[in-house]
Amino acid sequence: MLDPSPHSTRRKGTVADVPPHPAAGPPVAGDSRGRMSTLRYPHLFSPIQLGVLKIPNRVVMAPMSTQLGGSDGRVTERQIAFYRARAEGGVGLIIVEFCCVDRATGLSEHRQLSLDTPAHLEGHRRLVEAIRDAGAVACLQLQHGGAGVPRALVEGGVAVGPSDVRSRRDPSRLTARALTGAQIEYLIDCFGRTAALGVQAGYQAFELHGAHGYLLTQFLSPLTNHRDDDWGGDEERRLRLPRRVIACVKHAIGQRPLSFRLSADEFSPDGLGIEDMVRIAPKLVEAGVDVLHVSMGTGYTGLDKVIDPMSAPEGWRLPYARRIRQAVSVPVISVGQIRWPATAEAAIARGDADMIALGRPLLADPAWAGKARRGDDDDICPCTSCNFCVTSHAGPHGVIGCAENPRTGRELDPPFGSDARCEGSAVVVGGGPGGMATALMLDQAGYRTKLYEARASLGGGLIASAAPPFKDKLDWYRQYLERQLARSGVETATSSHVDAATLIRLRPDIVILAGGARAVRMEIDGIDGENVLDAYDVLMGDARGLASTGAMRIVVYGGGETGCETAEYLAGRGHEVVLVSRSPAEQLARSAEAIYRGVLLKRLFANAQVRIVDRSEIVAIRAGSVTLKDGDGATAEIACDRVLIAQGRRPDDAFAQALKAAGIPFVAIGDAHHGGRIGDAVHSGYAAVSALLEAQRRRAVPG
């Protein structure tokens, strides 16, 4: 879419000893030796030595599966373009996504990268060359999925791991089989062989994935290793496999640095905690590890710690990285919920970490590092932790994506305006995220663009989406779009109710309808009463009818994501809320992104201000109460002061029909076309502008 220091003194302490990390801290004025620097973030952009390897700055691209590879595990041109964009964006070190060391038993995804035979070499050579030529250092992560691999990807549907794992539904059936000693020795050799091929491909550094519940973690953790032999039992025996793999890989890579990615806490009473990892980390270093990459969690017991939801505060993991760093003498990389350069700079200056790994922020803005280096923080397209990237990546056909940056995963597409520019005029109706982003894309493509918004301010659905608790990160994206519009050639008109007659008079070459949707009309006795409000309007800031002080009794009708968020929003303002859902309680917010949904429902069920009444519908609304009917037909009265309806929104096609009748070309995107998420609206805008440019290219080619 939009272009879009040496170790400090070690200090003993606990996670709680470290102060909280604000999203934006003051810039540091000098470098680690006290010299003045012209850089706004001198610690972040100072070089660092990893063994014999010098890295130009402390910004690391974290390994993220892209699913852009071939079905046979080969590197593709799309993948090379994806990594080239991030290298050109200014990161110092790129840790290429996890590479399976044994496709027969260890694949974690359908199109996971592999390097277990020489047939994969050529693609990796081209990938390393692209990263190196763009100014970054290429590191390859080695991984085996172990007992957690998808059953469809292993022969017979039975994975391998440290211990037998039985199906919860059918305890007589094995879903994973314990590896024999000979099989373990074979997999150790697989790590070494892949590392040796990686050296041939030109990788300058390597990383072992020992976090998040993959094979090395499974052997290390008592949560998953239930053996009582040479490979499991006490901590020393559980460490045997990681130590052996470290030694084998070090032998294969020579003096090249080796990183080990670990989970500082598995957040399970049966797993490893921070105190365990403080004790284990030095043992990994003694075994030969040159760098520790501190992540968090395991997919078995808390995916929300592995992939943080929007509610996770900026920099919450840094105290854990600091604890590990205090325990070892090698550089430490911290990853997760670091979104802004000031947070990264302060973390290094304080001694929390030596390097900062960015994952999702580099999906939102590949040029994050370069913009931070120039001090152009306001130009960074922010990651809001919405996890659109997780949902777009899911399944056998999913690929990496980003809600805010639809070019992620499409880096082979020519940037708008680079090879063809449009000379016509465009009108965008609706100043929500889809409309704002599409107006900017049309401007980049060369259109004379005007954006109309009926409300007094831009933002649309972003305002409503950012209103509930713990979703304020979405305001970052709204503010970013507003800044980009102010710098663009787009003419913006707020408080403007444009109609079909206006567009017929203007006769633009293209109209983009991004005007959102309308509330679903419900036939309920009393629904037109003054005590009935629309939940979406309340989240948009229309608080008329709601007391600013003092608790009100409020019924929220609708168990979808909007209804659940509205209930939490109102409870946070001191109101007593009854959330009424026609579905069972276990199906609340069922369309929400899975990781966010899990933490939302956990909060909601624990909220003393919210009472949930499920499997019920409202059949009548009166001035001081509502009448409910449950699935058995029984009725009940609930006293309340206000009723908020959150039963969904649907596209309003009246405008589209008028334009069609007038012969004005238009494209409906986002909620004006089909209800969806912010990323769906932005991506449909990208598709619309891409189609316009493609049509122009075809017209320009002689027949």
Side-chain angles (χ1 to χ4, degrees):
M1 181 187 73
L2 319 173
D3 289 335
S5 74
H7 292 317
S8 61
T9 303
R10 298 288 192 263
R11 179 180 68 83
K12 297 292 183 182
T14 65
V15 169
D17 291 330
V18 184
H21 305 280
V28 180
D31 66 14
S32 59
R33 295 175 179 83
R35 299 176 301 205
M36 294 306 294
S37 171
T38 57
L39 288 174
R40 186 175 182 186
Y41 304 114
H43 291 85
L44 190 59
F45 292 101
S46 63
I48 186 171
Q49 200 76 24
L50 302 183
V52 298
L53 185 62
K54 186 176 183 179
I55 310 298
N57 62 58
R58 311 299 182 95
V59 184
V60 179
M61 179 178 176
M64 293 173 288
S65 165
T66 63
Q67 290 247 64
L68 293 173
S71 59
D72 58 358
R74 296 180 194 236
V75 175
T76 65
E77 291 303 315
R78 289 179 68 190
Q79 219 157 23
I80 292 172
F82 171 82
Y83 282 104
R84 181 188 292 115
R86 276 78 195 167
E88 291 173 344
V91 301
L93 177 69
I94 288 181
I95 305 177
V96 172
E97 63 195 89
F98 61 179
C99 182
C100 182
V101 299
D102 182 46
R103 289 180 59 81
T105 63
L107 275 181
S108 292
E109 291 179 346
H110 289 76
R111 295 186 301 284
Q112 184 178 358
L113 277 189
S114 300
L115 189 51
D116 56 355
T117 73
H120 295 114
L121 260 176
E122 180 55 32
H124 281 276
R125 284 184 177 130
R126 288 186 286 110
L127 175 57
V128 170
E129 182 180 2
I131 292 171
R132 184 189 62 230
D133 289 351
V137 174
C139 172
L140 181 64
Q141 188 184 73
L142 310 178
Q143 180 262 9
H144 185 288
V149 302
R151 310 299 171 230
L153 299 183
V154 290
E155 187 175 349
V158 180
V160 295
S163 305
D164 286 350
V165 178
R166 297 192 175 275
S167 168
R168 294 180 181 179
R169 294 182 180 179
D170 181 6
S172 67
R173 184 172 64 88
L174 283 178
T175 59
R177 181 177 289 108
L179 288 158
T180 66
Q183 291 171 329
I184 292 172
E185 294 289 350
Y186 171 76
L187 290 180
I188 293 170
D189 289 341
C190 287
F191 277 95
R193 282 198 298 271
T194 297
L197 288 169
V199 170
Q200 292 184 45
Y203 286 102
Q204 297 167 273
F206 292 82
E207 179 169 276
L208 294 172
H209 201 330
H212 303 165
Y214 294 123
L215 183 71
L216 296 181
T217 325
Q218 292 163 19
F219 271 86
L220 185 60
S221 174
L223 178 68
T224 45
N225 187 341
H226 306 138
R227 305 174 75 108
D228 188 14
D229 61 3
D230 291 344
W231 304 98
D234 56 32
E235 186 171 282
E236 286 301 305
R237 286 180 287 169
R238 295 198 311 272
L239 269 163
R240 187 179 180 203
L241 178 63
R243 281 171 166 156
R244 287 284 307 280
V245 171
I246 290 167
C248 186
V249 170
K250 286 291 285 186
H251 178 74
I253 67 177
Q255 295 300 307
R256 295 166 183 82
L258 176 64
S259 171
F260 192 98
R261 198 178 208 198
L262 57 84
S263 288
D265 198 320
E266 292 188 307
F267 296 97
S268 168
D270 301 318
L272 296 169
I274 181 61
E275 299 301 331
D276 300 304
M277 294 313 300
V278 165
R279 184 177 62 253
I280 289 170
K283 297 178 181 181
L284 298 173
V285 174
E286 290 170 7
V289 168
D290 304 294
V291 183
L292 287 173
H293 187 172
V294 180
S295 188
M296 206 68 67
T298 174
Y300 299 112
T301 59
L303 196 58
D304 62 305
K305 298 298 191 296
V306 178
I307 306 173
D308 303 303
M310 196 177 297
S311 56
E314 175 94 356
W316 77 270
R317 297 179 177 206
L318 289 169
Y320 291 85
R322 185 183 183 93
R323 287 291 311 278
I324 299 298
R325 188 174 184 267
Q326 289 170 337
V328 298
S329 58
V330 299
V332 165
I333 303 170
S334 183
V335 65
Q337 279 304 308
I338 297 171
R339 297 293 178 256
W340 297 106
T343 306
E345 172 73 10
I348 296 173
R350 269 196 312 263
D352 295 340
D354 300 281
M355 305 179 78
I356 300 298
L358 305 175
R360 289 172 288 175
L362 294 179
L363 302 181
D365 197 332
W368 189 101
K371 292 175 181 179
R373 187 181 187 94
R374 297 190 300 271
D376 294 337
D377 297 27
D378 283 351
D379 199 34
I380 292 174
C381 182
C383 171
T384 62
S385 302
C386 71
N387 285 342
F388 180 92
C389 53
V390 178
T391 54
S392 69
H393 175 273
H397 304 294
V399 295
I400 197 73
C402 175
E404 289 85 13
N405 180 8
R407 284 186 53 79
T408 292
R410 299 187 179 101
E411 285 77 12
L412 289 177
D413 291 0
F416 292 148
S418 62
D419 62 343
R421 289 189 64 81
C422 296
E423 301 296 332
S425 61
V427 167
V428 179
V429 181
M436 296 167 79
T438 304
L440 287 164
M441 290 185 261
L442 289 165
D443 181 58
Q444 290 171 358
Y447 281 96
R448 301 184 306 279
T449 305
K450 186 161 186 176
L451 171 63
Y452 289 95
E453 166 56 39
R455 293 178 182 266
S457 60
L458 297 172
L462 271 173
I463 297 172
S465 296
F470 308 110
K471 295 190 73 178
D472 53 298
K473 290 184 178 72
L474 288 172
D475 265 335
W476 296 348
Y477 185 46
R478 177 182 58 80
Q479 293 162 9
Y480 167 78
L481 290 174
E482 288 180 337
R483 290 193 298 269
Q484 295 299 307
L485 283 167
R487 298 169 183 170
S488 74
V490 176
E491 183 182 349
T492 302
T494 54
S495 300
S496 296
H497 292 266
V498 66
D499 55 17
T502 301
L503 296 180
I504 292 171
R505 176 175 52 81
L506 293 174
R507 303 301 297 186
D509 295 289
I510 185 66
V511 174
I512 302 294
L513 295 183
R518 300 288 181 266
V520 174
R521 170 71 183 177
M522 303 197 72
E523 298 301 325
I524 299 174
D525 182 22
I527 198 168
D528 295 321
E530 293 184 357
N531 61 329
V532 181
L533 307 172
D534 182 77
Y536 179 83
D537 290 340
V538 170
L539 295 178
M540 283 294 294
D542 184 359
R544 289 175 296 176
L546 294 180
S548 57
T549 59
M552 298 183 75
R553 300 166 301 172
I554 301 176
V555 169
V556 176
Y557 187 34
E561 184 174 0
T562 298
C564 292
E565 289 182 341
T566 302
E568 190 177 31
Y569 170 86
L570 294 169
R573 281 153 177 75
H575 300 298
E576 297 177 11
V577 182
V578 177
L579 176 62
V580 178
S581 172
R582 290 178 289 184
S583 301
E586 59 268 22
Q587 294 182 15
L588 289 174
R590 60 181 176 268
S591 297
E593 184 272 317
I595 298 173
Y596 169 72
R597 177 178 184 262
V599 296
L600 169 64
L601 294 189
K602 185 177 181 180
R603 293 195 308 266
L604 201 62
F605 291 145
N607 195 322
Q609 294 289 110
V610 178
R611 179 162 70 95
I612 297 170
V613 179
D614 66 346
R615 305 173 190 269
S616 300
E617 60 179 321
I618 295 179
V619 294
I621 302 173
R622 299 291 178 256
S625 68
V626 297
T627 303
L628 304 183
K629 182 173 71 174
D630 65 17
D632 297 325
T635 60
E637 295 287 320
I638 294 181
C640 62
D641 302 304
R642 296 290 184 272
V643 179
L644 268 63
I645 305 297
Q647 288 291 341
R649 300 171 69 79
R650 291 176 182 165
D652 182 355
D653 65 351
F655 204 163
Q657 293 301 324
L659 293 179
K660 185 176 181 180
I664 296 177
F666 70 92
V667 178
I669 68 168
D671 287 350
H673 170 64
H674 184 274
R677 311 187 74 78
I678 291 167
D680 298 323
V682 174
H683 279 245
S684 60
Y686 181 86
V689 178
S690 296
L692 290 171
L693 287 172
E694 180 58 30
Q696 175 171 293
R697 292 186 191 100
R698 287 198 300 268
R699 289 194 298 269
V701 175

